[in-house]
Amino acid sequence: SVDGGVVVAGGPAPHTLDLYEDALCPACRQFEQQAGDQIARAVAAGRVQVRYHFVNLLENRSRPAGYSSAGGNAMLCAAETGAFPGVHASLYAAQPPEGGAGYTAEQLADLGPRAGAGSGYAECVTSGRYTAAVADNYQRALADPALRHDGSFGTPAIVLDGRLLEPGSADLAPVLAG
């Protein structure tokens, strides 16, 4: 579901995992490839609720600029229409390099139905319904000192039960494994 510009996966659970991601972030893609299946299993088992905060940190590093917002918007639209896991995985699997061209709005709109998105997905994507929310997520993340590592905010930011973790932290594995 979508709550205030954040994708919420799973119901109330013993643990909460907040993930701050940018659709253009190579480290986010790597984190998804390494932990995505484990996270999905932990959500399905009721061990963790995940809140995905999509941000536009790398907004100006695509050609044309704007892929971070467009990708984040598409993932929020996918959550609204029942296709979040497929769109999320697909966008990271086909992620453009920094400085490269990302999917256009039309290509993002076409992706949803192939990932199982229900009606309204294409209109949501092409209208940019959540673009402002992606920008707002980034501004809120920048303003939160708890999300800073070595003095700055970066993606992916992984927050388990209110505590910022390093990507690859051993603290996440036992929560995901149960």
Side-chain angles (χ1 to χ4, degrees):
S1 65
V2 177
D3 182 19
V6 175
V7 173
V8 179
H15 298 282
T16 302
L17 182 62
D18 285 279
L19 298 174
Y20 293 79
E21 299 181 350
D22 184 306
L24 191 60
C25 164
C28 297
R29 178 187 66 226
Q30 182 179 15
F31 179 74
E32 167 63 21
Q33 290 170 341
Q34 292 173 345
D37 289 342
Q38 291 175 304
I39 290 171
R41 285 191 299 273
V43 168
R47 290 190 300 272
V48 66
Q49 180 184 68
V50 183
R51 298 185 302 214
Y52 293 89
H53 307 255
F54 295 104
V55 301
N56 61 355
L57 171 71
L58 302 173
E59 187 74 348
N60 296 318
R61 296 201 182 158
S62 62
R63 296 294 168 252
Y67 183 72
S68 294
S69 290
N73 176 65
M75 288 190 265
L76 284 153
C77 292
E80 182 181 285
T81 59
F84 176 74
V87 171
H88 186 247
S90 179
L91 288 184
Y92 282 128
Q95 184 185 64
E98 285 187 46
Y103 286 125
T104 66
E106 292 75 25
Q107 289 169 321
L108 288 168
D110 289 342
L111 174 68
R114 287 183 274 138
S119 68
Y121 172 82
E123 185 279 324
C124 182
V125 169
T126 58
S127 72
R129 181 178 301 156
Y130 291 107
T131 301
V134 173
D136 188 51
N137 285 343
Y138 180 48
Q139 292 306 312
R140 280 187 274 150
L142 283 177
D144 188 346
L147 295 176
R148 294 186 187 138
H149 177 72
D150 293 334
S152 64
F153 171 76
T155 53
I158 303 161
V159 180
L160 177 62
D161 298 329
R163 198 180 81 205
L164 183 65
L165 302 179
E166 288 290 319
S169 170
D171 294 345
L172 188 56
V175 170
L176 297 180

